[in-house]
Amino acid sequence: MKSLTGTTTDQAPADPAATDDMLATQPIGYWSGLAHTAVTRQLRDAMARIDVTQPQYWVLNRVDSGLPAPAREEVVTQLTPLAEGPHEIARVVDQLLHRGWLSTDDRGRLHLTEAGEAARARLRQLVTEQRAVVHQGIADEEYVAALKVLRRMVANVERAESEAR
């Protein structure tokens, strides 16, 4: 990695105890993976305490997105890249239909039921509370800067992969 002075920064092994002056040498994969694991675990544990899963929340939000009511296939196609397998979202739709949180109209379009909207609103509150825990001591400006860096890293990797083809 090049620093602002144009020199290349060496990649050090992951070190949870790295001091601030050594952070520039730390591997992003380690730290982003650690953050992903910790945040996802915290959120999924909180949802499990009320018998809901994160993919169920994704589906409820997608159906309530303000766009025209989606067909099952649209929801599955849009959310499968986030899921832990190609069949997970289809199963979640079935779970939510069974639970009475989703219904289908005569065109096969999915809609939130009254119970589904209540669950979505309750989950939104829970997610907001969990976000506050994760963001404690982090200013919005710092958070935005971190996401911009991560977004840039993703773009850099995608560009390099494209050039390698």
Side-chain angles (χ1 to χ4, degrees), residues 52-65 70-72 74-76 78-80 82-83 88-97 101-102 110-112 116 120 123:
V52 179
T53 67
Q54 188 180 29
Q56 288 172 339
Y57 181 55
W58 298 337
V59 170
L60 292 172
N61 278 328
R62 172 53 191 98
V63 171
D64 186 57
S65 67
R72 173 192 189 92
E74 293 173 81
V75 172
V76 169
Q78 290 171 355
L79 296 178
T80 292
L82 303 173
E88 182 178 27
I89 300 302
R91 289 179 187 129
V92 166
V93 171
D94 289 339
Q95 291 167 344
L96 296 176
L97 286 165
W101 290 3
L102 291 180
L110 296 168
H111 300 275
L112 291 182
R120 190 200 62 74
L123 284 164

Side-chain angles (χ1 to χ4, degrees), residues 46-161:
M47 288 180 169
R49 288 190 282 278
I50 60 170
D51 193 29
V52 179
T53 67
Q54 188 180 29
Q56 288 172 339
Y57 181 55
W58 298 337
V59 170
L60 292 172
N61 278 328
R62 172 53 191 98
V63 171
D64 186 57
S65 67
L67 301 171
R72 173 192 189 92
E73 297 76 27
E74 293 173 81
V75 172
V76 169
T77 298
Q78 290 171 355
L79 296 178
T80 292
L82 303 173
E84 293 180 0
H87 307 291
E88 182 178 27
I89 300 302
R91 289 179 187 129
V92 166
V93 171
D94 289 339
Q95 291 167 344
L96 296 176
L97 286 165
H98 176 76
R99 196 175 264 198
W101 290 3
L102 291 180
S103 64
T104 56
D105 62 24
D106 57 353
R107 296 176 302 136
R109 300 284 178 178
L110 296 168
H111 300 275
L112 291 182
T113 63
E114 193 172 305
E117 174 52 30
R120 190 200 62 74
R122 185 173 67 248
L123 284 164
R124 179 74 177 246
Q125 179 62 38
L126 179 122
V127 168
T128 299
E129 291 166 3
Q130 296 306 308
R131 183 184 190 281
V133 171
V134 172
H135 288 243
Q136 187 173 3
I138 301 168
D140 284 348
E141 296 79 20
E142 291 176 292
Y143 181 70
V144 168
L147 292 186
K148 286 174 134 181
V149 168
L150 291 172
R151 188 166 54 187
R152 176 68 180 268
M153 288 178 172
V154 169
N156 289 345
V157 169
E158 289 173 347
R159 184 182 63 252
E161 287 172 347

Side-chain angles (χ1 to χ4, degrees), residues 6-29:
T7 60
T8 301
T9 302
D10 188 31
Q11 178 72 58
D15 180 2
T19 58
D20 286 357
D21 62 323
M22 295 302 295
L23 287 178
T25 68
Q26 289 292 289
I28 185 62

